[in-house]
């Protein structure tokens, strides 16, 4: 794994090269370990920076996800997905729906049909 600093680019070239440089100040590619199997020193700092960077409110997270998707910044997309998964972990479906303002618009019959068709997900 190597750590790359954000490229110094002109304003015009910066938007074009965001997907190569990453949307954050530092970008981590892969995972290198030292002789003892621990992450190399600078890489742990980058992971901590990433975790702090993505600790944002829902509206900001949604905006970052859209930007990462439109700019095809896969590392940032993955970071956003991890954040969403962390937010959902250990919550009931009602809590998740409330958190993301998801309305339950299935009739009881439709919900039962979905459960039958996707029984594997409810086991």
């Amino acid at each position: 794994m190597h750590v790359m600093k954000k490229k110094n680019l002109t304003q015009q070239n910066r938007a074009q090269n965001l997907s190569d440089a990453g949307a954050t100040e530092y970008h981590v590619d892969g995972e290198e370990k030292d002789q003892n199997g621990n992450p190399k020193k600078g890489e742990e700092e980058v992971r901590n920076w990433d975790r702090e960077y993505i600790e944002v409110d829902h509206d900001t997270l949604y905006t970052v996800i859209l930007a990462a998707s439109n700019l095809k910044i896969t590392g940032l997309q993955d970071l956003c997905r991890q954040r969403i998964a962390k937010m959902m972990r250990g919550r009931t479906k009602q809590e998740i729906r409330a958190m993301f303002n998801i309305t339950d618009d299935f009739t009881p019959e439709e919900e039962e049909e979905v459960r039958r068709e996707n029984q594997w997900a409810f086991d």
Side-chain angles (χ1 to χ4, degrees):
M1 170 169 32
H2 67 282
V3 178
M4 299 184 318
K5 291 197 179 212
K6 183 171 41 177
K7 297 177 182 176
N8 292 324
L9 303 171
T10 65
Q11 191 71 6
Q12 189 175 32
N13 292 337
R14 183 170 178 199
Q16 182 179 3
N17 291 303
L18 264 176
S19 61
D20 295 334
T24 60
E25 186 167 334
Y26 296 97
H27 177 76
V28 179
D29 291 329
E31 185 170 316
E32 281 187 30
K33 305 218 178 216
D34 63 15
Q35 295 171 343
N36 299 323
N38 299 316
K40 289 192 175 178
K41 183 176 179 171
E43 296 160 6
E44 187 61 32
E45 292 173 16
V46 171
R47 279 193 211 91
N48 290 337
W49 191 92
D50 283 350
R51 279 191 284 273
E52 290 176 21
Y53 176 81
I54 206 66
E55 292 287 331
V56 294
D57 62 87
H58 290 196
D59 290 337
T60 303
L61 183 59
Y62 182 73
T63 302
V64 171
I65 291 168
L66 288 177
S69 179
N70 289 332
L71 294 170
K72 297 181 173 104
I73 305 171
T74 56
L76 186 56
Q77 289 173 323
D78 291 342
L79 187 62
C80 291
R81 289 182 196 118
Q82 290 170 2
R83 173 69 179 129
I84 291 169
K86 181 180 175 185
M87 292 166 61
M88 294 172 60
R89 191 172 298 131
R91 298 187 187 270
T92 66
K93 79 175 182 180
Q94 290 82 11
E95 291 171 327
I96 293 169
R97 287 177 189 219
M99 180 187 304
F100 295 108
N101 295 321
I102 300 170
T103 58
D104 186 3
D105 55 358
F106 284 113
T107 65
E109 295 81 21
E110 290 172 325
E111 188 169 337
E112 183 57 36
E113 181 181 343
V114 169
R115 285 182 180 273
R116 275 194 313 273
E117 291 174 357
N118 301 288
Q119 186 60 39
W120 60 269
F122 298 97
D123 290 336

